[in-house]
Amino acid sequence: MSTGAIILIAFGLFLVGGCVSFVKQGLPKSVIALLAIGAFFSIVAGILKIG
């Protein structure tokens, strides 16, 4: 597994943690949606970079 893939997946998981935190704080849904989209694309890019 390449370093780039590891970094992308770790960053995506970091953004998922931010989404969970923002939901608990009750922040606007638009901010949470942007974080979720970024997390999704980051994790998917990391997975695709593995293969």
Side-chain angles (χ1 to χ4, degrees):
M1 191 164 14
S2 68
T3 306
I6 294 171
I7 291 171
L8 282 169
I9 293 170
F11 183 66
L13 293 175
F14 175 75
L15 290 177
V16 168
C19 287
V20 171
S21 174
F22 280 12
V23 167
K24 288 182 180 178
Q25 292 178 22
L27 285 153
K29 301 290 184 198
S30 60
V31 175
I32 296 168
L34 284 175
L35 272 179
I37 291 168
F40 173 75
F41 282 129
S42 180
I43 292 172
V44 169
I47 291 170
L48 290 175
K49 196 168 176 75
I50 290 173

